Amino acid sequence: MPVSVSALGSFVWGTLPRRLLLALLCAAALLGLDLARRPSVPISAPQAQWPVTGAVPDLATLHVVERGPIPMPEGMAAAHASTLLAMPANHPAALTVFWFSGDRESGPNVQIAASQYLRAEQRWTPARFVVNRFVAGEQLGLGLRRLGNPVAWMDGAGRINLFVVATGAGGWAASRVLHLRQHSAGNRLDELSLEPVRVLPLSWLWNTSHLVRNAPLPLVDGGMVLPLHFELGLKYPLAVRLDRNGHFLGLTRLSQRDYALQPTLLMQTPTDWLALMRDERPHGKVVTAHTQDGGRHWTDLPDLALDNPDAAVAGLGLAPGQMLLAYNSSIASRGTLDLSRSADGRQWSLVQTLERGAPDDEFSYPALLWLDGSLWVTYTVDRHRIAWARLAPRAGGSAP
Amino acid sequence: MRGWDALLGMDAALLPALAVQQIWLRLGWAVVLAWLALNCVGRWWPGAQRDGRKGAVVAVIVGLWTCVPGTATPAYWLGLAFQAPSAVTVMLCLGLLGRRWLAFSRPTAQAGKADRTSLALTALAVVLGWVLLLDSFALLPVSLYAWGFGPAAVGSVALLALVVLAVWPPHGGVSIWHAALVPLALLLLVTLRLPTGNVWDAVLDPCVWLVLQVGLARHRWSRYKKRS
């Protein structure tokens, strides 16, 4: 005899206790299925990796030993927001620099350009575009309106990963973060090709208004923590953790303040990190937050004494008590770019003024990289080109 | 201890593969646009109210157009603006498509009337949307969206949705479908991680949140007018 739908329904639903039991069982089944799909290996607590092993250089003696412009893509008038990536020791290039370039900032033909510094020839290769918004959009399956800041990272498998600001329907406030990964077998510039992994999911609100700017903090497990910020109306910083394969693990908010953006992460110990940030307020100072558990929880600290003219800063924790910061030191202009050092992250002393121009000049968006005993710095000049400098400690100078 | 770590850990997100996301982007928007097309045809094409075939043909054409690869599909541009629709939105449109089709094929069939369960779920979704909006602007003390990647969020939302169903069981086809939307969206999330691996993106998106607010306001307004 066929069972009617209503009879089946009343058997399943029954009384309230039976329905509640059924609800509990269904929820437990969904949770069990979810847990079964996730990796069974526990994720280790985040521990940052020191960029310098061995003898600690005396940062007070750092001085410029080489400098110059980085070759621009032919015919492009605008360049901004460079990021540096150290290449493996056996690679013909010591490092790669990525930046965005086109007719103008936020122009429709802006692409991500790159150049590599060749060890043997001691020179930069001609620039080459490595990310195009039309190509990346087609590969991704959805449109990308404009491209902006790139940030580079080498994952645990030795592949170049690039995180690029890509806008949706709107200007920079409609930005998302596009994650691309090396697709080519090699990563020499002439053979480098990148393919989208995904748009990082960062917000419920159409996943909009998140941007990257500063370099990630490498972790001992081969993963990293990538600093980002939100900038629709108010500004706040956050960070994303990725494992050694570039898999997204989670995100954390860095500050309760609503005017801090473009965080740069400096390690003080493997689990004590500072986030130094740009301040969008008039007459702002460098904004600071602190974590003691590898980025899981953050506390706001009082602002630094350093002025900040609403401009990006770049920091680097090299070794215990050895931190560097490149920043625009004037309150009203990006015409001066300074490099300072600190032992505690609070008190900073000038190492060298990297650039000093007229108030209308712009030397901005610095990027720092420590490589083979030298500090490499790149920065934007007047939004038209990218400049570089290499600084080395004076011979015989080592920290006490 | 390891079990608790797995359940409560904030570093355990699992995202969908790009290929799966690409299929979802097209299929999801195809269903949403097909429903919109069917609705427009029923409203503005003379005679289509009685002849369901016209509406069906338009809906199928729009749906297929959205599924084509490349840039000549609305999904490419809708993805640029809104990313992918939530699972609840897609299934809601699927249910409405079915209901609309039923109304075409059997003109005497009554459109389902929203009951208390549907209204309660709608009100819950509207409140959740406001909370997520505040969270997007970091106006809450905790980061709700970040928590949505973890298994604890999946379990909590599943439990809440199913307990609501158990306490206020739905009656009638429409309500049962509405009531099953969240559990089905969670099933899609735990099996395929769609649409983003985050539980909030699975159960609610800002587009449907805006529509639900309009629907709820219209319902309140009509009740107010009836009373007065």
Side-chain angles (χ1 to χ4, degrees):
Chain A
M1 193 177 135
V3 180
S4 73
V5 174
S6 61
L8 187 66
S10 52
F11 173 76
V12 171
W13 287 106
T15 58
L16 180 62
R18 194 185 286 183
R19 293 199 301 267
L20 283 173
L21 182 65
L22 189 64
L24 202 63
L25 288 174
C26 289
L30 277 170
L31 179 60
L33 197 54
D34 184 73
L35 285 170
R37 294 266 289 120
R38 292 176 195 263
S40 54
V41 181
I43 307 295
S44 59
Q47 294 226 334
Q49 180 154 32
W50 292 112
V52 175
T53 50
V56 180
D58 181 4
L59 301 181
T61 66
L62 280 175
H63 65 289
V64 175
V65 291
E66 283 181 278
R67 69 189 316 158
I70 288 176
M72 284 280 290
E74 206 167 317
M76 294 298 148
H80 195 29
S82 57
T83 182
L84 290 165
L85 179 70
M87 302 303 289
N90 58 355
H91 197 278
L95 70 160
T96 306
V97 57
F98 298 88
W99 70 97
F100 74 78
S101 183
D103 283 344
R104 59 180 171 81
E105 182 174 336
S106 196
N109 71 341
V110 164
Q111 302 177 67
I112 304 302
S115 176
Q116 289 184 330
Y117 188 83
L118 302 174
R119 292 179 202 271
E121 291 95 328
Q122 303 266 300
R123 64 167 180 87
W124 293 93
T125 62
R128 203 202 119 200
F129 285 122
V130 292
V131 183
N132 173 290
R133 70 186 176 96
F134 297 106
V135 175
E138 276 211 57
Q139 291 170 333
L140 194 63
L142 54 86
L144 305 171
R145 192 170 166 271
R146 297 287 186 266
L147 295 183
N149 308 347
V151 169
W153 172 61
M154 187 83 71
D155 68 20
R159 297 169 299 187
I160 293 177
N161 288 244
L162 206 59
F163 301 86
V164 177
V165 170
T167 65
W172 292 133
S175 295
R176 301 184 178 113
V177 177
L178 171 65
H179 177 190
L180 301 113
R181 183 184 293 146
Q182 177 187 324
H183 175 63
S184 52
N187 50 25
R188 277 197 341 257
L189 191 60
D190 56 357
E191 61 182 341
L192 178 64
S193 88
L194 298 153
E195 273 196 349
V197 177
R198 62 170 48 86
V199 175
L200 293 183
L202 301 169
S203 150
W204 173 77
L205 191 64
W206 294 304
N207 192 19
T208 201
S209 212
H210 286 86
L211 296 89
V212 278
R213 163 57 205 136
N214 277 311
L217 186 66
L219 301 180
V220 172
D221 64 9
M224 61 91 148
V225 175
L226 176 68
L228 312 122
H229 72 274
F230 174 90
E231 69 164 50
L232 180 61
L234 42 85
K235 274 81 171 166
Y236 67 84
L238 61 157
V240 161
R241 184 179 173 196
L242 277 81
D243 71 9
R244 68 186 313 275
N245 298 312
H247 295 148
F248 176 99
L249 293 176
L251 70 150
T252 320
R253 207 175 285 160
L254 303 190
S255 168
Q256 298 298 319
R257 291 163 170 151
D258 60 7
Y259 50 80
L261 63 157
Q262 296 179 340
T264 181
L265 302 179
L266 297 83
M267 63 182 294
Q268 294 180 294
T269 73
T271 53
D272 282 27
W273 313 338
L274 282 176
L276 303 184
M277 293 162 272
R278 168 178 171 176
D279 187 342
E280 72 146 353
R281 297 172 302 173
H283 309 292
K285 302 284 184 186
V286 175
V287 183
T288 319
H290 180 227
T291 177
Q292 292 180 302
D293 59 2
R296 288 192 161 140
H297 302 90
W298 289 83
T299 314
D300 285 321
L301 294 179
D303 296 344
L304 297 184
L306 306 175
D307 289 331
N308 183 255
D310 194 8
V313 300
L316 197 57
L318 283 176
Q322 301 279 336
M323 282 176 273
L324 289 168
L325 183 69
Y327 61 104
N328 294 113
S329 55
S330 158
I331 189 63
S333 143
R334 293 179 177 182
T336 304
L337 185 64
D338 281 348
L339 179 72
S340 288
R341 69 189 173 95
S342 173
D344 61 2
R346 300 295 310 165
Q347 306 298 323
W348 292 84
S349 54
L350 185 69
V351 174
Q352 179 149 20
T353 292
L354 297 170
E355 292 279 4
R356 188 188 300 279
D360 287 347
D361 291 337
E362 177 174 335
F363 307 102
S364 64
Y365 276 56
L368 301 179
L369 176 73
W370 188 268
L371 184 68
D372 300 335
S374 294
L375 178 72
W376 295 75
V377 187
T378 57
Y379 49 91
T380 300
V381 178
D382 296 329
R383 307 271 174 129
H384 292 313
R385 62 185 173 85
I386 304 296
W388 71 283
R390 186 169 73 84
L391 293 87
R394 289 191 198 284
S398 66
Chain B
M1 193 61 195
R2 250 179 79 169
W4 284 113
D5 282 349
L7 190 63
L8 301 172
M10 296 282 282
D11 295 330
L14 183 63
L15 308 191
L18 180 60
V20 179
Q21 278 188 305
Q22 287 169 332
I23 293 168
W24 175 255
L25 181 81
R26 275 161 173 69
L27 278 183
W29 283 119
V31 170
V32 174
L33 292 184
W35 172 72
L36 280 172
L38 194 62
N39 232 13
C40 293
V41 166
R43 186 161 295 185
W44 289 310
W45 193 347
Q49 279 283 10
R50 282 188 300 280
D51 185 2
R53 281 173 302 183
K54 286 179 183 172
V57 167
V58 173
V60 168
I61 289 172
V62 168
L64 289 176
W65 175 36
T66 311
C67 286
V68 298
T71 60
T73 160
Y76 181 85
W77 302 101
L78 287 166
L80 180 149
F82 306 116
Q83 303 274 274
S86 68
V88 164
T89 302
V90 174
M91 285 187 284
L92 186 66
C93 290
L94 205 59
L96 292 170
L97 262 176
R99 196 175 94 183
R100 190 84 194 176
W101 177 250
L102 210 64
F104 276 140
S105 59
R106 285 190 286 146
T108 51
Q110 290 289 309
K113 207 176 158 187
D115 67 0
R116 283 169 64 180
T117 313
S118 299
L119 285 172
L121 288 170
T122 304
L124 205 62
V126 167
V127 171
L128 175 64
W130 276 105
V131 172
L132 288 167
L133 183 69
L134 293 175
D135 180 60
S136 299
F137 286 90
L139 297 173
L140 300 178
V142 293
S143 180
L144 197 64
Y145 188 78
W147 188 64
F149 287 106
V154 174
S156 304
V157 173
L159 190 62
L160 180 68
L162 290 161
V163 164
V164 167
L165 280 187
V167 175
W168 295 286
H171 299 286
V174 175
S175 284
I176 288 176
W177 180 248
H178 285 174
L181 288 176
V182 173
L184 286 175
L186 292 175
L187 190 61
L188 199 67
L189 173 73
V190 300
T191 51
L192 295 172
R193 313 310 301 173
L194 288 170
T196 64
N198 189 294
V199 72
W200 310 120
D201 290 329
V203 299
L204 189 67
D205 63 58
C207 294
V208 83
W209 174 64
L210 291 170
V211 171
L212 289 177
Q213 291 198 83
V214 173
L216 200 62
R218 280 175 63 181
H219 176 79
R220 301 295 301 179
W221 177 247
S222 65
R223 270 188 65 182
Y224 169 78
K225 275 181 72 177
K226 262 185 199 167
R227 278 186 189 168
S228 61

